[in-house]
Each structure stands twice: as structure tokens, then as C-alpha cells.
Amino acid sequence: MGYKPEEAVNLFIENALTDPVYYASVVFVVMLSVVLHELGHAYAALWEGDTTARDAGHTDLNPLTHMGKTSLFFLFLVGIAWGQCPVNPKRFRHGLLGNALVSFAGPAVNLVLALIFSVAYAAWFAYSPGAGVGQAVGENVAIFLSVGAIMNVVLFLLNMIPIPPFDGYSVATSLSSTFRNNAGVIERNGLILFVLVFFLGGSYLFAAGRTVFSALSSTLLTLML
């Protein structure tokens, strides 16, 4: 279950016909997770005293606001999406620490979502009335919840990688003088590093996501039973 990195991403849209439940689950989960991720940044920035996101209208639940048409197009076509949240670090009350907190807020939301989906997945198997729920319905719910958990673990891990444009880079440069002193070199090679992570590390990220989800859901299910 979950995202299938071993398949060519240009075949993702074919799932709309061959595996519509999986396709719809990925699209909905990614859209929801990206929007809430960006809202995490926006409200953390507000807490830090920066109203830039609110002033720009980035405190609603509209996917177009946080993702834009291009990101949504790629989500429906190849299952990949991104978001953005305008902030002004110069207005943060706590300076570099504030910047680290605002940057981490987005991935933290994904971590919470991964836990919520995992708890729901375990609870579904522990407490759902098996005889009263059709097999197809049960499988579809399990697919949706597993996709939700796995995708959010992946989004957390991906965004915490300390290279631009990921949030982990902002966290690292805010908290580490070594990163700040080498920011120029890192940013000059940022595109190369991003491509390497995205195309060579993708399968490892999803493998890690499935492993974390499996361990977490199994532990939760054991506790519930």
C-alpha cells in the first residue's frame, strides 16, 4: 500500500482508471497535507509576529492559494506537488530561532498527520465491525489511511533534508553557524543536490515511510487489542 516509487511517475495518472481508490487517496492526501503544511508555516510566522502570510491571504484552506495551478496540475498528472508560504524572517520576534521554528512548523504538521493517520489505521482494524463492513469498503479505507500515513512520513523526511529548497535547510542555517558559513556553496549546488535527492533518494524515502508506518501501526494495533 502507499505511493509506488518503483513505477514511472509519468504513469501515475493511469491509476485514475486502473486503481481509482489509490489515485484518489494520493491526490487528496497530498493536497490536504501540503495545504496544512503551509498553514503550519503561516500560523507559526503569525506567532512570531510576522503577518506576511495572513496579509497575502495564505491562512485559508484553498489549495490554489497554497499550491497554485502548476503544482495541482503536476499532482493530478504525476502525483508530485509542492506549496509555498510567504514569510518575512526579519519580522520574527526571536530572530534565527524564530526562523527555525517557523521552518520546522510545516514538517511538524506532517509528523502529526502521519501519527493521526496511523492511529486511525490501527483503530480501523481494532474496532471496526468486520461483519458489518464490506470487504471492498474495508480495503479502501485501509488504503486511504495507509497512504495518508506513509505520504506524511515521506513529506516530513523530505522536508527535513538540509538542502535548499527544503525546510530542513532553513532550520540548519538558523541553528548552525557551520551551515550559515557555507550557505553560498550549498546554494550554488542546491539544484544538483535537489535533483540527486529527488531522483536517487526517492525510493529510499518511500521505503523509510513504509517501514515507519508498518512499525507504528503494528505497535498501535497491539496496544489497542
Side-chain angles (χ1 to χ4, degrees):
M1 298 178 191
Y3 193 75
K4 307 169 185 176
E6 62 273 11
E7 298 179 358
V9 292
N10 62 341
L11 298 180
F12 173 73
I13 196 171
E14 294 181 4
N15 286 288
L17 296 176
T18 61
D19 195 350
V21 172
Y22 168 75
Y23 178 84
S25 296
V26 172
V27 168
F28 179 82
V29 164
V30 172
M31 192 182 303
L32 173 69
S33 301
V34 171
V35 168
L36 294 181
H37 174 110
E38 300 305 332
L39 283 175
H41 290 310
Y43 282 102
L46 278 173
W47 185 78
E48 273 294 313
D50 174 30
T51 62
T52 302
R54 186 181 64 189
D55 296 341
H58 278 250
T59 52
D60 60 24
L61 290 170
N62 186 352
L64 280 171
T65 301
H66 301 281
M67 301 172 68
K69 295 179 180 178
T70 302
S71 178
L72 287 170
F73 171 77
F74 273 90
L75 172 57
F76 283 95
L77 183 66
V78 298
I80 297 170
W82 58 90
Q84 59 180 353
C85 178
V87 297
N88 184 357
K90 293 180 180 179
R91 301 172 69 180
F92 294 162
R93 286 196 301 263
H94 299 97
L96 289 174
L97 178 59
N99 191 52
L101 291 172
V102 172
S103 298
F104 181 69
V109 169
N110 295 124
L111 197 59
V112 171
L113 286 173
L115 180 59
I116 291 173
F117 275 110
S118 295
V119 170
Y121 179 90
W124 175 254
F125 282 100
Y127 304 121
S128 63
V133 178
Q135 182 177 359
V137 173
E139 290 178 354
N140 292 342
V141 171
I143 290 172
F144 171 72
L145 295 175
S146 66
V147 167
I150 293 169
M151 290 302 296
N152 274 285
V153 171
V154 171
L155 286 170
F156 172 78
L157 295 175
L158 179 66
N159 277 284
M160 288 309 296
I161 296 175
I163 63 172
F166 301 124
D167 296 319
Y169 179 65
S170 294
V171 174
T173 53
S174 297
L175 300 179
S176 170
S177 59
T178 300
F179 267 88
R180 287 197 298 275
N181 294 336
N182 291 280
V185 175
I186 297 173
E187 290 172 8
R188 282 195 298 272
N189 294 283
L191 180 60
I192 296 174
L193 294 171
F194 172 78
V195 171
L196 288 174
V197 167
F198 192 80
F199 288 101
L200 299 182
S203 60
Y204 295 103
L205 284 171
F206 283 100
R210 287 192 293 268
T211 299
V212 170
F213 164 67
S214 178
L216 184 57
S217 60
S218 297
T219 301
L220 289 168
L221 185 57
T222 300
L223 292 173
M224 291 178 184
L225 294 176

